[in-house]
Amino acid sequence: MLIESFQNDKIKHVTKLLSDNRFRKKSNVFVVEGQQENERALKFDFEPVEFFICENIFKGNIPQGRIHYVSEKIYEKIAYRGSSEGIIGIYKTKESDLSSFKAKENSTIIIVESIEKPGNLGAILRSCEAFGIDALIITDVRADFYNPNVIRSSVGCLFGMKVFQAENKETLDFLSQNQFNIYTTIMDESSEDLYKRDFTNKSAILFGTEHSGLSEFWSGKGQNTLIPMTGSIDSLNLSNAVAITCYESLRQKKLK
């Protein structure tokens, strides 16, 4: 059956999931738009609840599961990106506990405190996945992992990454118990260039908020590290700083 009415209960439900974060979180589901993003969600064993597909737009293979076919007019209404690729999936969320992460001898972890912007979080996830970061930990969480903007800007990289939420104290205890070298991005006279740090052993690199950096909690907890710059500006966008650091970690491991 082709759904063509905005008053259809299924369309009202998915519209509410897209527009009401509280309702989505309470329902323990999230929304994935786009062919590549849905393929990655399925590849990494996220459990689908249902799919909304516009056959006039969608060019991929129809996934297994509960399928609702919708008209172009309905799809354009429920899709964040209008007519993009013709598929929206609803999936069950996953919860991951930090204690379940088993670090390797050369594991590199990125830790971001109090990140607020979904687009930045998505870009960070993309860099972490691209450059082989073993886990991403978000402390003092303010951005929702399953926000549609995070999934879109990460191009589905969220699904293949080990991502954890934890408090600062829990994170510090985890790093200490697992003997990680801790590198904090706090600028002071003790700071050394990123390229002088050794990321070939267990390493955790910490970044703070977009506007104020790391909180006082992390002061004195690690080795202060900075990205050398020659321009007149003294800071970078958070996601760019993380991307440079992720690449440097990979570069060092490739050379070893």
Side-chain angles (χ1 to χ4, degrees), residues 98 108-114 124 128 133 135-140 164 166-168 171-172 174-175 180-183 185 203-208 214 218 238 242:
L98 184 54
T108 301
I109 292 176
I110 295 294
I111 300 167
V112 182
E113 181 184 40
S114 306
I124 287 168
C128 286
I133 298 302
L136 172 66
I137 302 173
I138 308 297
T139 69
D140 188 17
F164 304 95
E167 298 300 320
N168 279 330
T171 301
L172 179 60
F174 172 83
L175 298 178
F180 272 86
N181 294 315
I182 300 174
Y183 300 103
T185 50
S203 304
I205 308 106
L206 290 96
F207 296 85
L214 283 167
W218 291 105
L238 174 60
V242 173

Side-chain angles (χ1 to χ4, degrees), residues 70-135:
V70 301
S71 67
E72 285 190 57
K73 179 178 68 173
I74 294 296
Y75 186 80
E76 289 173 4
K77 166 74 173 178
I78 63 177
Y80 189 89
R81 291 179 286 175
S83 61
S84 62
E85 300 181 318
I87 182 170
I88 291 174
I90 312 297
Y91 295 81
K92 292 183 179 179
T93 57
K94 287 183 181 181
E95 297 296 330
S96 298
D97 188 89
L98 184 54
S99 63
S100 68
F101 177 63
K102 306 303 180 187
K104 300 178 292 187
E105 285 306 310
N106 67 343
S107 285
T108 301
I109 292 176
I110 295 294
I111 300 167
V112 182
E113 181 184 40
S114 306
I115 188 169
E116 296 176 347
K117 298 177 181 178
N120 265 349
L121 178 53
I124 287 168
L125 280 159
R126 193 169 180 174
S127 294
C128 286
E129 204 277 344
F131 296 121
I133 298 302
D134 295 278

